[in-house]
């Protein structure tokens, strides 16, 4: 006999009959009405009802927090009320209810409450919830807590690894992100698409090209699709690691080039390498392909013009963006224009642009103009800008250093000493310079005047040899960059130990002759380092690629790709 089994439809009194309504809830007021209905009809005693309410609260919190951060506090309160309610009804033993409650707390950043509930109620077996907790700490920027939790996790999933890797990278802990990626490969959880996208920004920042190539190969071998997102991350990595040609190759290989992110990655890369004409070509190509340039793309094109001194092109693109396309310039666009005009010597025009900005100029813009004043010897405007800067950003070392450098360049040691004393008085310290070089997949980090490396002795003798050979070809150190009014000899020795020089010395003693050296520096390379690296590339017959905070310098046979314009 055949029996037809009907799935019973939920009775109107069963809470599941209201679930579709919960998911369609647009406002918390509506939700409260349903909540009240649950109470009135007694449905609230059903664990499913409480769990669904919490789930909605999590999702709506996620949505709301994005647009008005003060919603957080209100949500924490609602979360706590629901928590008390759930406990009173004895529903807290339901795993689904509890895990949604933990999510609400995590989403609101109430990590203490989430943590207590997570441990007290033995949710440790729930891998998904571990990941939610780890992610919560990462979002709060508390990497130590997230790491502790991660380390004590019995079964790590690929999501756990991804959360940690991207968390480290997003919070500026690039070395840790890469170390985690290495650790992951020692275990039995293979990286996936998200892992690769998460680790690549860290690879880019440290210029770890060997690892970057490995990531690319891994994607190809494992048939992980290099779509616009992963492709853009690879383009960014190759260009920031000095291989702009490889970046172009990846770009051409991406089938769907409709995403402006892909275009801004390649245009930004070309700009950084000083290939302004190519950047402009891509900008036109992008528009021919029917992709509307985003404001980030304009930042790339304008910075390309600024690096290459293409004043006319820059002006007309900026005009087009503001007056034809109607994009509201962001502070970064103003920054590019001030940089472009300032370097080209149009100091008054740059200053006017700043004065007409609808928002307060940031320190980057003012420093760009200050740098231009120094470059073109306009001390009067320089001092004016510096005063502005110090008034607005009294604890930022950059403006003091820039002003001091400007005084030093004209031999005004009295001015230098004054600035130094002011810095001392306010206890302002200069950002320490730091350079990285990757050898055989290991990243070596050097600080200014660093002698902590295991091969410090060898590095030191190499630095001595370098300065002897530089002197023998007639090189005289440019001591105007040194802040203190010390005697010539002291100044010269201070210059020897800029971190990029130490990294180069280490590269020279650790690699075969003719091996190209690739260095990443956190600050801008100084004029003295720039001219000595040019000579080092010739004397030692090495290609040396240096990425500083702003752009790439390809040193070869005594000259640099930036044509000394940087
Ligand atoms: Zn230097
Ligand atoms: Zn250069």
């Amino acid at each position: 006999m055949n029996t037809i089994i009907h799935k019973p439809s939920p009775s109107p009194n069963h809470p599941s009959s209201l679930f579709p309504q919960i998911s369609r809830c647009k406002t918390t007021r509506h939700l409260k009405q349903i909540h009240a209905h649950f109470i009135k009809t007694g449905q609230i005693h059903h664990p499913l009802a409480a769990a669904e309410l919490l789930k909605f609260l999590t999702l709506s919190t996620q949505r709301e927090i994005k647009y008005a951060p003060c919603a957080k506090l209100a949500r924490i309160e609602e979360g706590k009320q629901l928590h008390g309610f759930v406990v009173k009804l004895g529903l807290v033993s339901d795993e689904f209810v509890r895990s949604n409650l933990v999510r609400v707390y995590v989403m609101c950043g109430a990590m203490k409450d989430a943590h207590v509930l997570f441990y007290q109620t033995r949710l440790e077996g729930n891998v998904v919830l571990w990941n939610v907790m780890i992610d919560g700490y990462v979002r709060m920027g508390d990497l130590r807590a997230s790491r502790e939790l991660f380390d004590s996790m019995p079964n790590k999933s690929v999501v756990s690894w991804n959360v940690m890797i991207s968390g480290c990278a997003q919070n500026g802990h690039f070395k840790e992100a890469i170390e985690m990626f290495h650790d992951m490969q020692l275990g039995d959880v293979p990286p996936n698409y998200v892992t690769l996208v998460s680790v690549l920004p860290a690879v880019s920042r440290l210029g770890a090209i060997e690892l970057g190539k490995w990531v690319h190969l891994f994607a190809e071998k494992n048939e992980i699709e290099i779509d616009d997102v992963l492709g853009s991350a690879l383009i960014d990595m190759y260009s920031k690691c000095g291989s702009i040609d490889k970046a172009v190759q990846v770009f051409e290989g991406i089938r769907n080039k409709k995403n402006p992110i892909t275009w801004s990655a390649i245009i930004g890369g070309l700009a950084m390498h000083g290939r302004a004409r190519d950047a402009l070509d891509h900008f036109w190509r992008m528009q021919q392909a029917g992709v509307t340039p985003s404001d980030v793309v304009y930042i790339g094109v304008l910075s390309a013009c600024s690096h290459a001194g293409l004043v006319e092109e820059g002006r007309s693109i900026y005009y087009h963006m503001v007056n034809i396309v109607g994009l509201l310039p962001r502070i970064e666009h103003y920054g590019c224009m001030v940089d472009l005009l300032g370097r080209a010597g149009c100091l008054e025009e740059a200053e006017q642009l700043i004065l007409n900005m609808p928002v307060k100029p940031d320190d980057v813009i003012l420093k760009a103009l200050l740098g231009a004043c120094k470059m073109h010897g306009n001390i009067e405007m320089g001092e004016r800008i510096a005063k502005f800067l110090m008034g607005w950003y009294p604890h930022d070392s950059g403006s003091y250093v820039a002003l001091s450098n400007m005084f030093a360049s004209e031999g005004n040691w009295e001015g230098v000493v004054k600035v130094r004393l002011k810095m001392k008085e306010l206890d302002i310290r200069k950002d320490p310079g730091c350079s990285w070089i990757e050898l055989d997949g290991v990243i070596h980090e050097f600080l200014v005047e660093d002698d902590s490396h295991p091969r410090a002795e060898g590095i030191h003798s190499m630095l001595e040899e370098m300065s002897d050979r530089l002197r023998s070809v007639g090189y005289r150190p440019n001591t105007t960059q040194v802040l203190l009014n010390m005697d010539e000899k002291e100044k010269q020795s201070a210059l020897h130990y800029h971190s990029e020089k130490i990294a180069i010395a280490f590269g020279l003693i650790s690699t075969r002759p003719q091996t190209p050296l690739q260095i990443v520096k956190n600050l801008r390379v100084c004029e003295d380092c720039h001219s000595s690296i040019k000579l080092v590339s010739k004397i030692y017959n090495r290609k040396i690629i240096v990425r500083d905070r702003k752009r790439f310098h390809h040193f070869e046979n005594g000259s640099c790709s930036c044509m000394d314009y940087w």
Side-chain angles (χ1 to χ4, degrees):
M1 194 174 92
N2 283 337
T3 324
I4 300 165
I5 301 171
H6 287 286
K7 208 176 162 205
S9 57
S11 79
N13 274 341
H14 193 272
S16 62
S17 65
L18 281 170
F19 292 170
Q21 283 197 43
I22 294 179
S23 61
R24 276 199 296 272
C25 259
K26 283 270 172 353
T27 58
T28 22
R29 205 173 134 239
H30 188 184
L31 184 78
K32 276 182 183 154
Q33 284 169 0
I34 296 181
H35 187 185
H37 181 78
F38 277 6
I39 296 172
K40 220 161 80 189
T41 55
Q43 288 166 323
I44 195 70
H45 291 276
H46 202 290
L48 271 179
E52 281 297 320
L53 281 173
L54 283 166
K55 200 166 120 194
F56 173 82
L57 197 62
T58 320
L59 292 174
S60 71
T61 307
Q62 205 171 4
R63 264 199 310 267
E64 280 174 35
I65 284 173
K66 247 191 199 164
Y67 306 104
C70 55
K72 261 188 195 179
L73 284 178
R75 288 293 164 276
I76 294 180
E77 270 320 300
E78 273 177 46
K80 283 193 173 161
Q81 277 174 18
L82 269 165
H83 188 174
F85 205 66
V86 158
V87 171
K88 231 177 16 204
L89 295 173
L91 294 175
V92 79
S93 59
D94 183 86
E95 183 167 332
F96 197 52
V97 172
R98 280 193 331 251
S99 62
N100 272 315
L101 199 49
V102 171
R103 275 171 210 268
V104 171
Y105 283 136
V106 168
M107 210 58 76
C108 301
M111 290 308 294
K112 259 194 189 151
D113 297 289
H115 191 94
V116 169
L117 194 64
F118 178 71
Y119 277 108
Q120 268 181 0
T121 55
R122 296 176 197 281
L123 288 163
E124 294 102 310
N126 185 332
V127 179
V128 177
L129 214 55
W130 275 89
N131 295 337
V132 169
M133 286 292 296
I134 294 172
D135 186 44
Y137 281 121
V138 166
R139 277 167 200 263
M140 301 292 290
D142 189 348
L143 281 185
R144 224 180 62 183
S146 66
R147 184 65 201 249
E148 264 171 30
L149 207 58
F150 176 81
D151 286 341
S152 60
M153 190 172 179
N155 297 307
K156 299 174 177 71
S157 70
V158 68
V159 177
S160 332
W161 286 99
N162 293 349
V163 168
M164 280 312 294
I165 292 171
S166 72
C168 287
Q170 278 164 19
N171 283 286
H173 298 252
F174 307 114
K175 250 179 110 179
E176 285 89 332
I178 287 175
E179 278 162 12
M180 297 233 53
F181 184 65
H182 283 310
D183 288 349
M184 180 181 188
Q185 284 158 62
L186 299 175
D188 48 9
V189 182
N192 65 6
Y193 172 89
V194 178
T195 321
L196 305 188
V197 172
S198 307
V199 78
L200 279 171
V203 175
S204 305
R205 277 301 287 261
L206 297 183
I209 181 88
E210 290 309 318
L211 181 60
K213 280 185 195 158
W214 187 93
V215 168
H216 190 184
L217 203 71
F218 181 88
E220 284 178 343
K221 264 194 191 159
N222 292 280
E223 292 177 8
I224 294 176
E225 195 201 343
I226 300 179
D227 62 359
D228 49 350
V229 176
L230 180 55
S232 305
L234 283 169
I235 293 169
D236 189 58
M237 180 278 293
Y238 276 122
S239 37
K240 287 197 176 134
C241 289
S243 302
I244 185 64
D245 294 326
K246 193 81 189 139
V248 172
Q249 210 179 313
V250 174
F251 174 79
E252 296 302 343
I254 296 172
R255 254 178 278 151
N256 178 8
K257 291 202 252 287
K258 290 286 169 213
N259 192 339
I261 293 174
T262 316
W263 292 92
S264 72
I266 192 67
I267 290 171
L270 289 164
M272 206 189 283
H273 285 267
R275 285 172 52 174
R277 293 283 167 205
D278 288 335
L280 286 173
D281 276 350
H282 278 77
F283 180 58
W284 306 129
R285 251 182 82 188
M286 167 182 197
Q287 290 168 77
Q288 273 165 6
V291 185
T292 312
S294 62
D295 52 357
V296 181
V297 172
Y298 279 101
I299 295 171
V301 198
L302 291 174
S303 83
C305 293
S306 131
H307 285 316
L310 304 176
V311 182
E312 278 319 309
E313 288 85 344
R315 268 198 198 111
S316 82
I317 289 169
Y318 180 77
Y319 180 87
H320 186 85
M321 177 188 101
V322 178
N323 298 301
I324 314 287
V325 182
L327 276 179
L328 216 59
R330 285 195 347 214
I331 200 127
E332 292 90 344
H333 300 108
Y334 285 112
C336 289
M337 285 311 287
V338 167
D339 199 42
L340 170 70
L341 296 167
R343 277 166 206 248
C346 313
L347 296 174
E348 273 77 26
E349 193 181 339
E351 198 185 19
Q352 271 310 311
L353 191 68
I354 292 180
L355 291 172
N356 292 327
M357 276 170 64
V359 287
K360 183 176 142 182
D362 64 2
D363 60 320
V364 179
I365 291 185
L366 293 170
K367 275 183 214 157
L369 185 55
L370 188 54
C373 290
K374 176 178 170 261
M375 185 193 276
H376 295 282
N378 190 336
I379 306 292
E380 190 217 321
M381 188 189 284
E383 280 189 48
R384 194 160 68 233
I385 303 293
K387 273 196 190 127
F388 260 126
L389 256 168
M390 287 166 192
W392 283 343
Y393 306 94
H395 292 284
D396 177 72
S397 64
S399 27
Y400 295 87
V401 173
L403 183 64
S404 171
N405 278 344
M406 194 168 64
F407 285 145
S409 67
E410 50 154 2
N412 175 0
W413 298 112
E414 212 176 298
V416 173
V417 169
K418 257 191 201 163
V419 178
R420 296 285 299 187
L421 285 175
K422 190 84 194 156
M423 283 177 83
K424 225 177 181 168
E425 188 189 313
L426 297 171
D427 196 26
I428 294 162
R429 278 156 232 244
K430 202 180 154 184
D431 286 343
C434 185
S435 296
W436 297 272
I437 181 169
E438 184 200 43
L439 289 179
D440 303 322
V442 179
I443 292 159
H444 300 261
E445 184 179 72
F446 297 95
L447 297 168
V448 67
E449 295 188 41
D450 197 341
D451 59 359
S452 63
H453 196 273
R455 297 194 62 188
E457 248 175 65
I459 296 170
H460 194 80
S461 12
M462 191 54 184
L463 281 165
E464 292 289 310
E465 188 198 308
M466 277 160 70
S467 74
D468 285 346
R469 290 185 70 173
L470 281 168
R471 251 194 297 272
S472 72
V473 294
Y475 169 75
R476 292 285 166 268
N478 174 358
T479 51
T480 59
Q481 303 277 314
V482 185
L483 282 170
L484 287 167
N485 183 16
M486 43 192 176
D487 72 42
E488 281 301 313
K489 195 143 191 266
E490 278 177 315
K491 272 190 250 172
Q492 289 184 21
S493 77
L495 285 171
H496 293 164
Y497 295 100
H498 274 182
S499 60
E500 57 270 53
K501 279 190 185 155
I502 305 174
I504 290 173
F506 173 67
L508 287 173
I509 61 168
S510 318
T511 53
R512 288 165 194 277
Q514 296 186 15
T515 312
L517 299 179
Q518 197 156 316
I519 318 283
V520 176
K521 161 121 206 226
N522 66 336
L523 305 173
R524 263 191 68 182
V525 56
C526 81
E527 274 168 45
D528 180 71
C529 285
H530 196 267
S531 43
S532 49
I533 298 170
K534 281 201 290 192
L535 289 171
V536 168
S537 75
K538 188 171 179 165
I539 296 169
Y540 290 90
N541 190 22
R542 297 273 191 139
K543 222 189 218 180
I544 303 173
I545 302 172
V546 177
R547 187 183 97 200
D548 72 6
R549 202 180 60 194
K550 292 197 88 170
R551 63 167 295 151
F552 270 96
H553 301 268
H554 295 251
F555 296 94
E556 202 175 358
N557 200 23
S559 58
C560 179
S561 62
C562 74
M563 314 293 283
D564 302 334
Y565 193 85
W566 86 97

